[in-house]
Amino acid sequence: MTGLQILREEAAGRVTLRLEGTLDGRTAQELSLSLQSLAKSEVVLDFAHLREFKDSAVGVLTHGLKEGAVQMRGLATHHERMFRYFGVLSSPATNRAWYTPEDILSV
């Protein structure tokens, strides 16, 4: 059974958690515990090195991400959209396109 490796890097007061392996519901709970221990730190989650990212992990992670100031990078468009459905933005709104299909369809 494959798991998740969380590699921690600290630089300039920012903690980067680089994720490698498989992120699913179970391993997302482990990651949530790691994020709770870093509640007072500026945290960046790097998803770029994941081998597999199950949709079930998004639901588990969103609870902790809404409360803290966590930046995300390396997300595929699909997972970025899923986080947005749960109310978690992965990037600042300034980089947003003029419109998105969701804006048009929700009118």
Side-chain angles (χ1 to χ4, degrees):
M1 174 165 55
T2 61
L4 178 70
Q5 289 185 341
I6 304 172
L7 304 172
R8 180 180 172 147
E9 301 168 0
E10 292 185 47
R14 176 183 291 177
V15 177
T16 300
L17 299 178
R18 190 174 68 195
L19 309 176
E20 295 181 358
T22 300
L23 185 60
D24 56 17
R26 183 186 56 81
T27 56
Q29 289 175 339
E30 294 172 15
L31 178 57
S32 290
L33 292 174
S34 295
L35 289 173
Q36 287 175 3
S37 69
L38 297 170
K40 299 193 185 303
S41 303
E42 185 179 342
V43 177
V44 176
L45 284 178
D46 185 358
F47 296 91
H49 302 283
L50 285 175
R51 184 174 42 253
E52 191 173 4
F53 189 166
K54 303 275 187 176
D55 291 347
S56 59
V58 175
V60 173
L61 288 176
T62 54
H63 298 292
L65 295 178
K66 285 183 181 179
E67 298 162 2
V70 177
Q71 296 178 350
M72 296 183 284
R73 69 175 180 214
L75 283 172
T77 305
H78 169 73
H79 289 104
E80 189 172 324
R81 185 177 303 122
M82 290 204 50
F83 276 111
R84 193 169 60 237
Y85 293 155
F86 280 95
V88 177
L89 299 176
S90 63
S91 59
T94 55
N95 294 338
R96 200 169 165 210
W98 183 70
Y99 69 90
T100 62
E102 290 86 2
D103 293 337
I104 293 173
L105 295 174
S106 65
V107 175

